[in-house]
Amino acid sequence: MNRLPAWFRPVNVRYEWWEEWVMRLAFAALLVRGMPEVTHFTGQPVPNGLAHWMDFTFLSDPAVVLWLRWIYGAMIGLYVLGIWRMLSLPVLAAVLVSYGTLGNSQGAINHITQIFVLVVLGQMVSAWHSGLWLRRRITDKSEYRRQANDNLIHATLQVMAAVYVVSGLTKLINSGGEWIWSVPNLAVQFAKNLDMAYYNTLQTPEGGTVAVIAWIAEWPNAARLLFGTGLVLELFAFLALLRREWAALMGLSLLLMHATISHIMHLGFFYNKILLLVFFINIPFWIVCVARRIANRQESGTRRPAIAPESGAL
Amino acid sequence: MPKPHPIPPVCRIRAAWISRAAKARIWIFLVFCALCLGLGEQYPFSNFPMYSNMEDHTYLLYITDENGQPIPLMTAYGMRTSILKKFFHTEARKIAKKSGKSMSTMDPQAFEPAGQAAIGRILSYRNDLNPELHPWKEIHLVHLDIRLGAGGLNRTHTRIATRVL
C-alpha cells in the first residue's frame, strides 16, 4: 500500500460530529419524502422482487397507511436522534421497499428510487454490523459511537459507488464491450425522450436536445469521447472510497454528468444528485477546511495542517 | 510428518480476500455489486440496464383521439409516455416470444392485443380523474418508430389499437 502515490492510498476517514449531523439531517429529509401515502395501485399484475411472494396492495388501504405513517415518522425521529438504528433502519427499509416493489410490479420498472433505498439497506447492514460486532471490539462508548457513525457514512459511500460501478459494468456486458462504439446511436434515444416529453403534455420541452442530436450526427467521435467519459466515471466510482478528495472529485464529475443528462434527456436523477451532494461532495467539510486553512495561515504565517490528518484530507 | 493445515488452500485464499476487503472497508461495496449484478431487476436491486445496449432504432407510443389529434397522456390520464411504453413492452414481448421473432422485425400491427392491454391500463391508471375532462369518443394507440438512417432520423407512425369509449 505504501508504494502507492499518496492520492491512491486509502484513508480511514474520520468524520467530524457536525458533518455527521448535516448528513443525517439531509438523509432524514429524503426519508420524509418517502412518507407513506395511499397508493392507487390495487393489484400486482407483473410481480417484481418480493411481490412474487408477498401482496403489497395493503398500501392502498387508508387505515393501514395511517398506521404506517405514524410508525415511519417515529422511525425517522429515532434516525435523526442517532439512536436505535438497529430498529429504525430495518423498519424504514421495509416500508420503502414495499412501496417501490408495488410500484415496480405494475408492468413498468423505473429506476428512480433504487439508489436511495439501497443506501437505506446499506446503512441498515452497517448499523447491524456495528451493533453486533463493533460493540464487542470497542469498549469505550464515545469511541464506539464515533466509529459506528463513520462506518454508517462509509457504508453509504460504498453503496453509491456500487450502484455506479454496476451501471457501468452492465453497459459493457449488455453491449458486448462495444458501448462506446455505439454512442452515436444515442441520437435515437435523445429523439425518443424529446418526443415522449412532448406527448406527455403536448408542450415542446425546453433544452438543447435538438442541437445535441445534430452535434452527435456531425461529430460521432467527439460524442464517443464525451459520453465515454461518463462510462469511465461510472466504472471508477469506487475511487470515491479511497479518501475525501476522490469522493469530492467523483461526486462533482458524476453530478455534472447527471445535470448534462437531465438537460438533454429530461430525466430527473433527484436522489442521485442529492446523495452525491451530501455524501460524496460534502460541501460543509470543504468550506470549513478552507476556512481553517486561511485562519491558520493568518495566525502563524506558516503552512500547518489545518485539519486533523485522520479526517482524510491531504 | 507435517501436520495438515486445518483450512484447505482454496478457503485460505478466499479468507485472505475477505479479510483484505474487510480491512479496506469495501465489503459492503462488493456485496452490493454482487447482489445488483446477480439479482438483476428485483427491486430494490437492479443492474441498471438503461441505455446499456444502444441500437440504431427505438420506438415510443402516444395516443390520439378519433380525429388523429394527439392527447396529452400525462395531463389527461396522469400517466407518463415512458410508463405507457413499459406497460406495452411487457405485453408485446410475450407476443414476440410466442411467435419466435424479434420485436424489432415484427410489424407493429401484430401487437394489437398488447395495444389493447395498454389502453386498458391508461383508462384504469388513475381513479381520481374527472371524466368530463375527456371529451374524446375514441382512443387510438400510435406506435412511433424512430430509426437512424443515412439521411438522419426517420420517424414512422403506425396506429396499432383503437378503443371506443
Side-chain angles (χ1 to χ4, degrees), chain B residues 112-138:
Chain B
E112 203 266 343
Q116 285 295 348
I119 294 176
R121 286 289 175 80
I122 293 169
L123 297 175
S124 63
Y125 193 64
R126 295 284 291 262
N127 49 16
D128 55 346
L129 296 171
N130 184 0
E132 284 176 18
L133 294 174
H134 305 152
W136 38 86
K137 295 178 180 68
E138 290 175 13

Side-chain angles (χ1 to χ4, degrees), chain A residues 115-131:
Chain A
I115 187 169
F116 170 56
V117 180
L118 285 173
V119 165
V120 177
L121 281 179
Q123 291 197 357
M124 183 188 86
V125 171
S126 173
W128 276 78
H129 173 260
S130 296

Side-chain angles (χ1 to χ4, degrees), chain A residues 106-107 109 111 113 170 179, chain B residues 41 43 47 51 86-87 121:
Chain A
Q106 305 304 311
I109 291 176
H111 299 91
T113 58
T170 304
W179 193 85
Chain B
E41 289 289 9
Y43 193 90
N47 55 354
Y51 306 107
K86 284 171 181 169
F87 280 146
R121 286 289 175 80

Side-chain angles (χ1 to χ4, degrees), chain A residues 222-240:
Chain A
R224 284 186 185 106
L225 186 71
L226 182 74
F227 292 101
T229 311
L231 175 64
V232 172
L233 270 179
E234 286 187 331
L235 290 171
F236 286 88
F238 65 87
L239 290 174

Side-chain angles (χ1 to χ4, degrees), chain A residues 6-82:
Chain A
W7 272 72
F8 289 96
R9 265 180 234 148
V11 171
N12 198 356
V13 179
R14 305 302 309 259
Y15 293 92
E16 309 245 353
W17 66 268
W18 45 267
E19 279 180 277
E20 199 259 320
W21 262 101
V22 170
M23 289 174 176
R24 200 193 303 172
L25 288 175
F27 197 70
L30 287 182
L31 288 168
V32 170
R33 265 178 71 94
M35 184 66 86
E37 297 281 349
V38 178
T39 171
H40 58 272
F41 299 130
T42 52
Q44 299 179 160
V46 187
N48 178 265
L50 290 174
H52 287 291
W53 300 282
M54 260 189 82
D55 183 0
F56 291 100
T57 52
F58 62 86
L59 298 171
S60 61
D61 181 344
V64 174
V65 172
L66 186 66
W67 274 104
L68 271 183
R69 285 175 73 87
W70 278 103
I71 296 166
Y72 189 87
M75 293 304 135
I76 292 178
L78 290 178
Y79 181 86
V80 169
L81 293 172

Side-chain angles (χ1 to χ4, degrees), chain A residues 51-160:
Chain A
H52 287 291
W53 300 282
M54 260 189 82
D55 183 0
F56 291 100
T57 52
F58 62 86
L59 298 171
S60 61
D61 181 344
V64 174
V65 172
L66 186 66
W67 274 104
L68 271 183
R69 285 175 73 87
W70 278 103
I71 296 166
Y72 189 87
M75 293 304 135
I76 292 178
L78 290 178
Y79 181 86
V80 169
L81 293 172
I83 54 171
W84 292 3
R85 282 183 187 144
M86 284 172 76
L87 170 73
S88 62
L89 282 164
V91 175
L92 292 167
V95 172
L96 292 167
V97 168
S98 301
Y99 270 93
T101 304
L102 181 62
N104 270 6
S105 297
Q106 305 304 311
I109 291 176
N110 68 58
H111 299 91
I112 299 167
T113 58
Q114 273 89 341
I115 187 169
F116 170 56
V117 180
L118 285 173
V119 165
V120 177
L121 281 179
Q123 291 197 357
M124 183 188 86
V125 171
S126 173
W128 276 78
H129 173 260
S130 296
L132 296 177
W133 187 76
L134 197 66
R135 191 185 285 274
R136 278 192 247 157
R137 287 193 64 201
I138 303 174
T139 47
D140 180 55
K141 241 184 174 181
S142 66
E143 179 53 26
Y144 163 73
R145 283 191 75 97
R146 188 168 181 197
Q147 190 61 53
N149 286 337
D150 286 353
N151 285 357
L152 197 83
I153 296 169
H154 195 64
T156 305
L157 264 65
Q158 288 183 73
V159 174
M160 290 170 65

